[in-house]
Amino acid sequence: MDLLIVSGLSGAGKSVAMNALEDIGFFCIDNVPAELLPSITAFSKAGDNQLKRVALSMDVRGCHTSEQIEQALHQLDEQGIEYEILFIDAPDDVLMRRYSETRRRHPISIAEGISTREALAKERQILQPFRERADYTINTELLSTAQNKERICDLFAPDGGAKAAMRLTVMSFGFKFGIPEDANLVLDVRCLPNPFYIPELKHKTGLDEEVVDFVMGHPEAKELLRRYESFLEYALPLYVREGKSQLTIAVGCTGGKHRSITFARKIAEYCKQLGYQTGIQHRDAVR
């Protein structure tokens, strides 16, 4: 089991980090009390509950003293459990501004009735064991939410860095049945010669190589595919940079059986070659 403990200052971006980790395959548990840490890790490793990648978020909501944290980490060390610590930080002035902008209160301010600045000072003191033992420290002062997510993915995604956090679906469809509601990008291939009018191909689909050979046998189809691929090569990294977690590319022809399926297969293959986690669906193939 790969165990990652995520901690840091309130308002620094732990929630963004946990969401990004979940997107790349971590089993995430939020707000773990210090005294329960050894029990949760033991449960995660036991029998049918065995998990491969686990991220535990720990902060001042469940860790009330630095001694509690030290004791919990010491117990993990005694049990021989390997783990890494990610600490999310930002300067106090930045955190103060974020609290002011969101009009939220610091959890210690709520519990003890002290100012935000005093709460931050106390929080730093409590979380110091995590800070000192951190394997990774991210200062989010100059990072947008999307950049914070990208940094997390670059550190912990097993393959493809930030690309692995975006689930890409390529879907073929027929325009006469309507554009898919979840489509982010719509590519139209109705401009290409239609196999529907070839008697021996009419009842086949783009899953049959005879149809693929017919569609791609036209120079305009090869050029259109090249231009769509060039567009996607440029555009997809922009979606990754903005923190997009899922993207659907819909490829449409008239009935959704021939040209769209052919192009959807080609585009999905190309996206995989670029390093994206890509799935494919043929919405109207059996209509």
Side-chain angles (χ1 to χ4, degrees):
M1 178 183 70
D2 293 334
L3 175 62
L4 179 66
I5 299 173
V6 181
S7 189
L9 277 292
S10 301
K14 293 192 305 298
S15 296
V16 172
M18 292 295 283
N19 289 338
L21 291 167
E22 190 169 34
D23 284 344
I24 58 176
F26 276 82
F27 183 85
C28 296
I29 306 175
D30 187 32
N31 193 18
V32 175
E35 59 269 17
L36 292 183
L37 177 60
S39 301
I40 290 177
T41 53
F43 174 80
S44 300
K45 293 180 65 176
D48 295 337
N49 301 314
Q50 199 164 85
L51 301 170
K52 291 184 178 180
R53 308 184 84 198
V54 179
L56 307 177
S57 174
M58 300 181 66
D59 53 43
V60 292
R61 293 171 296 169
C63 305
H64 303 298
T65 67
S66 60
E67 288 76 19
Q68 283 183 332
I69 296 172
E70 290 281 11
Q71 184 177 0
L73 295 178
H74 179 67
Q75 287 181 287
L76 291 187
D77 295 336
E78 283 191 330
Q79 294 173 14
I81 296 176
E82 296 184 1
Y83 59 89
E84 292 184 312
I85 297 175
L86 167 65
F87 195 86
I88 311 295
D89 202 356
D92 284 0
D93 290 343
V94 173
L95 298 174
M96 293 277 291
R97 186 182 71 246
R98 291 175 183 174
Y99 271 108
S100 176
E101 291 172 349
T102 60
R103 298 187 178 181
R104 299 193 64 190
R105 297 180 63 196
H106 193 284
I108 295 180
S109 293
I110 297 172
E112 302 185 15
I114 59 179
S115 70
T116 301
R117 190 170 293 279
E118 291 173 317
L120 288 171
K122 184 168 184 177
E123 183 178 33
R124 287 191 184 279
Q125 181 181 14
I126 293 172
L127 298 180
Q128 188 60 24
F130 284 138
R131 184 81 166 81
E132 292 176 348
R133 299 179 60 167
D135 299 279
Y136 311 93
T137 300
I138 297 178
N139 185 333
T140 63
E141 176 183 7
L142 301 177
L143 299 182
S144 66
T145 297
Q147 290 169 331
N148 188 10
K149 179 177 180 179
E150 184 177 11
R151 184 73 59 84
I152 297 294
C153 294
D154 286 339
L155 284 173
F156 300 107
D159 51 0
K163 290 181 180 180
M166 185 173 73
R167 173 65 179 178
L168 196 61
T169 300
V170 181
M171 178 186 298
S172 66
F173 74 97
F175 275 96
K176 70 179 182 180
F177 302 116
I179 297 174
E181 292 184 359
D182 55 347
N184 301 107
L185 296 173
V186 178
L187 307 181
D188 188 351
V189 294
R190 289 176 294 181
C191 56
L192 300 176
N194 192 349
F196 179 83
Y197 297 108
I198 308 299
E200 59 268 30
L201 300 179
K202 179 176 181 179
H203 299 294
K204 294 181 181 294
T205 73
L207 297 173
D208 298 299
E209 289 308 308
E210 303 96 312
V211 173
V212 175
D213 291 342
F214 175 85
V215 173
M216 300 310 300
H218 295 81
E220 57 266 40
K222 294 178 181 177
E223 180 63 16
L224 183 62
L225 178 62
R226 185 190 69 80
R227 296 194 180 209
Y228 278 154
E229 289 177 343
S230 178
F231 162 70
L232 292 172
E233 183 181 16
Y234 177 78
L236 292 180
L238 303 181
Y239 286 102
V240 171
R241 189 183 307 167
E242 284 303 306
K244 191 78 172 173
S245 61
Q246 53 186 340
L247 186 78
T248 298
I249 303 170
V251 184
C253 63
T254 303
K257 294 180 180 295
H258 299 100
R259 295 163 292 178
S260 62
I261 291 179
T262 298
F263 260 61
R265 291 174 63 193
K266 296 287 186 182
I267 288 170
E269 182 181 350
Y270 178 73
C271 291
K272 288 180 181 179
Q273 292 174 359
L274 292 178
Y276 296 93
Q277 301 295 316
T278 307
I280 188 168
Q281 299 176 14
H282 303 300
R283 192 191 70 176
D284 300 323
V286 298
R287 285 182 183 262

